[in-house]
Amino acid sequence: MKMNRTLFLITLLSTFAMQGQDSLVSNIQEVTQVADTVKKVPQRYKVEGVAAVVGDYVVLDSDIDKGYLEFQQQGVSTEDITRCQLLGKLMEDKLYLHQAVQDSIVVGDAEINPEVDQLMQYLTAEIGSEEKLLAFYRKNTLPELRSELFEARKSLKLAGRMQAKVVENVEITPEEVREFFFAIPEDERPVFSAEVAVAQIVVEPEITKEAKQTAIDRLNEMRQDILENGVSFATKAGLYSEDGSKTRGGLIEGVKRNSQYVKEFKDQAFSLLEGEISEPFETQFGFHILKVDKIRGQEVDVRHILVYPEVPQSSIDAAREKIETVRKAIVDSTITFKNAAIQYSEEEDTRNNGGQLVNPVTYDTWFDLTKMDPELSAKVYNLKPGEVSKIFVERDRTGKASFKIYTVTDRKEEHPAEYVTDYERIKELALKEKQIRAIEDWQNKQIKETYVNVNEDYQECEFSSDWVKTSN
């Protein structure tokens, strides 16, 4: 398989995997590791020189340099990846973007903004401060950096949806799966990594009525200051809101009735007139006040301020005592982990299933130990089936702590692929191979129908697709 096709496979699989994730952050590697890789990026070519043009999109020489960093961030070795190979991949990306526009595929700003907010928070936390973050990305202001991350994320979404559209009707039959597997020489068949099925019990410290009232009082004071003293809502949000939208003065654009926001938030957004400010209201994330900035047909632009109630130490101590008692009961075999989760866990998504976690990529209960979230992997890697982990303290994006224990409910050790027992995983590989062929056919067709121009510096590259021959 040619290297550029390997690059393409990495991109295809990572894109499909990302579409199954609830959170962008879970796909991001340690940013601080990237600083050590900058010196490894080959330096050449004129600043901001144009490497290629594909349709309405330009690939710059500096984009190739950034491409090396992106692969490093994803944990992909770049030692054997040449600039020609990386340029080929970038041209493929631009081809998807170009065709996405032609096919009227749309990604709304409201879909991207929360992800970028989350990403900005994560990067700042990892690097240490906003000043260090700006220095690392060589930007003067946070809005400038946010704009670049926004465009990159939006382009990635568009390309991913174009890829998904190309393969949406590709299916695989049992006979094709059988032919795929037995065509692989026995000594070359894939080795599947160890997999585990994991369950959890979560206990959260109780937020007292007094803490909730304090949060409500804070928001009422802000609301009164805005209404009576003419203070800007955006200014208050920028100073005091405790979520990612604070960098934009609390602005959230393009909220629709079917948007992925909680019901209470949407109810407020669509019950107010333009310019009105809500009373404080509660969601699962905390307490808010909301202002409708603009009504645009079936969409509204809003600003909000989010405040988290303080959790008293007495609640934290009570939660720890509760989970210690639950864990001891499980270890002493006076209750099963499953029944304990049903009775005592406070995580609604898993409680009724006996605490069983669902893989957000495959939607089953199996997790590949080499691919699962590193933090979760470290907690369960050495657990034997039925063994209970120690108690872990975990914090969500609000900073609120919760106590968790885990168990491995089942485990498969690393083993060579077997047709019967590993049929579903073999089927997935066979389908991916067929999807790759479908996209290669699509790509070759689109290259012929799209304006392509490759800079003379790259005319001697051996691309896996015929970019140079069709160059105009």
Side-chain angles (χ1 to χ4, degrees):
M1 182 182 290
K2 294 184 179 179
M3 176 59 73
N4 214 48
R5 190 173 176 217
T6 303
L7 293 174
F8 170 75
L9 176 59
I10 293 169
T11 304
L12 175 66
L13 296 182
S14 64
T15 300
F16 286 154
M18 181 169 46
Q19 291 171 343
Q21 301 282 348
D22 292 329
S23 172
L24 172 65
V25 171
S26 63
N27 286 323
I28 303 170
Q29 301 297 320
E30 293 288 341
V31 175
T32 50
Q33 296 175 353
V34 180
D36 295 331
T37 71
V38 174
K39 61 180 180 291
K40 299 179 183 178
V41 178
Q43 301 296 320
R44 57 160 293 186
Y45 297 105
K46 50 193 175 297
V47 176
E48 296 303 326
V50 175
V53 178
V54 179
D56 296 327
Y57 293 89
V58 173
V59 180
L60 301 175
D61 286 313
S62 59
D63 292 332
I64 300 176
D65 294 335
K66 292 177 183 177
Y68 278 104
L69 289 178
E70 289 170 2
F71 273 109
Q72 292 280 0
Q73 283 178 291
Q74 295 168 18
V76 179
S77 173
T78 60
E79 184 176 348
D80 297 321
I81 299 177
T82 67
R83 293 184 72 88
C84 289
Q85 292 161 349
L86 192 46
L87 174 60
K89 180 198 174 297
L90 292 173
M91 287 193 291
E92 291 173 4
D93 292 343
K94 300 305 182 186
L95 186 65
Y96 300 136
L97 288 176
H98 175 77
Q99 194 58 41
V101 173
Q102 306 304 310
D103 290 0
S104 300
I105 296 176
V106 177
V107 174
D109 291 357
E111 182 179 351
I112 304 299
N113 280 325
E115 296 180 357
V116 177
D117 290 339
Q118 198 174 19
L119 178 57
M120 290 279 286
Q121 286 182 311
Y122 179 84
L123 292 174
T124 302
E126 287 300 308
I127 289 183
S129 69
E130 293 178 349
E131 291 75 17
K132 291 180 180 179
L133 181 64
L134 291 174
F136 181 81
Y137 280 97
R138 298 180 181 179
K139 300 297 178 185
N140 295 319
T141 65
L142 287 175
E144 183 182 355
L145 172 58
R146 190 183 188 284
S147 178
E148 180 172 301
L149 294 176
F150 179 92
E151 292 303 324
R153 181 63 184 159
K154 190 169 186 177
S155 294
L156 183 60
K157 282 264 190 180
L158 280 170
R161 288 185 182 174
M162 188 66 243
Q163 289 177 339
K165 181 179 179 181
V166 172
V167 300
E168 63 183 353
N169 294 320
V170 177
E171 298 178 346
I172 196 86
T173 66
E175 179 60 23
E176 287 176 314
V177 176
R178 190 190 69 80
E179 291 177 356
F180 169 82
F181 179 76
F182 288 105
I184 304 173
E186 190 169 345
D187 61 347
E188 295 179 14
R189 287 174 183 168
V191 174
F192 289 133
S193 303
E195 291 184 297
V196 291
V198 180
Q200 67 176 8
I201 294 175
V202 182
V203 174
E204 299 178 350
E206 180 185 5
I207 301 175
T208 63
K209 292 181 179 178
E210 292 77 13
K212 291 182 178 182
Q213 189 58 53
T214 298
I216 292 172
D217 291 342
R218 282 188 62 200
L219 288 171
N220 274 324
E221 289 177 6
M222 294 183 208
R223 184 174 185 273
Q224 184 177 2
D225 203 16
I226 294 167
L227 292 174
E228 297 183 4
N229 300 322
V231 176
S232 164
F233 192 103
T235 299
K236 286 286 187 183
L239 290 172
Y240 302 112
S241 188
E242 299 180 44
D243 82 322
S245 69
K246 69 179 296 179
T247 59
R248 292 175 284 116
L251 179 63
I252 298 177
E253 298 176 294
V255 178
K256 301 178 182 178
R257 293 187 184 276
N258 62 350
S259 295
Q260 298 300 310
Y261 296 102
V262 292
K263 180 179 183 298
E264 300 90 341
F265 188 90
K266 291 189 288 186
D267 287 347
Q268 292 291 335
F270 287 98
S271 65
L272 300 173
L273 298 176
E274 197 168 291
E276 276 193 303
I277 300 175
S278 73
E279 299 284 346
F281 64 96
E282 184 178 8
T283 72
Q284 66 191 69
F285 302 106
F287 288 86
H288 314 244
I289 54 174
L290 179 147
K291 176 186 177 183
V292 173
D293 250 23
K294 190 174 184 61
I295 299 175
R296 296 185 283 108
Q298 299 301 310
E299 297 184 4
V300 293
D301 296 341
V302 303
R303 294 184 186 271
H304 83 129
I305 300 173
L306 173 63
V307 171
Y308 307 133
E310 293 289 336
V311 180
Q313 186 61 43
S314 59
S315 293
I316 296 174
D317 294 340
R320 178 179 286 278
E321 183 178 349
K322 177 180 176 180
I323 201 163
E324 286 174 349
T325 302
V326 171
R327 184 182 185 281
K328 185 176 186 303
I330 298 170
V331 172
D332 291 344
S333 300
T334 60
I335 190 172
T336 65
F337 195 100
K338 179 178 180 179
N339 288 338
I342 293 172
Q343 292 184 41
Y344 302 113
S345 184
E346 297 169 8
E347 214 287 312
E348 293 184 4
D349 291 341
T350 59
R351 179 176 58 204
N352 294 332
N353 196 29
Q356 199 75 49
L357 297 178
V358 175
N359 189 322
V361 177
T362 62
Y363 300 106
D364 61 19
T365 58
W366 289 103
F367 291 81
D368 185 328
L369 277 171
T370 65
K371 297 178 182 177
M372 70 190 302
D373 178 85
E375 289 189 8
L376 178 59
S377 175
K379 294 166 184 172
V380 303
Y381 190 89
N382 293 318
L383 289 181
K384 299 175 182 177
E387 186 178 359
V388 183
S389 74
K390 68 177 185 179
I391 296 170
F392 294 98
V393 181
E394 299 183 10
R395 297 184 182 276
D396 62 16
R397 64 185 183 86
T398 73
K400 184 177 69 174
S402 61
F403 298 94
K404 296 185 180 182
I405 54 176
Y406 299 92
T407 190
V408 170
T409 58
D410 203 353
R411 186 181 187 109
K412 298 177 184 176
E413 297 302 335
E414 180 178 284
H415 63 280
E418 299 175 3
Y419 182 69
V420 175
T421 58
D422 297 312
Y423 179 81
E424 289 301 322
R425 298 176 76 174
I426 295 167
K427 178 181 177 182
E428 181 182 352
L429 292 175
L431 178 60
K432 288 291 190 294
E433 176 69 18
K434 190 171 181 180
Q435 289 173 334
I436 289 172
R437 293 198 303 270
I439 289 189
E440 286 177 340
D441 292 342
W442 173 87
Q443 181 178 299
N444 290 331
K445 177 177 180 292
Q446 294 303 320
I447 289 175
K448 295 176 181 178
E449 299 177 359
T450 304
Y451 173 80
V452 176
N453 189 288
V454 179
N455 187 288
E456 60 182 9
D457 291 329
Y458 299 95
Q459 290 285 325
E460 300 303 317
C461 288
E462 294 184 5
F463 297 114
S464 60
S465 298
D466 206 2
W467 295 104
V468 174
K469 182 177 178 180
T470 56
S471 176
N472 294 295

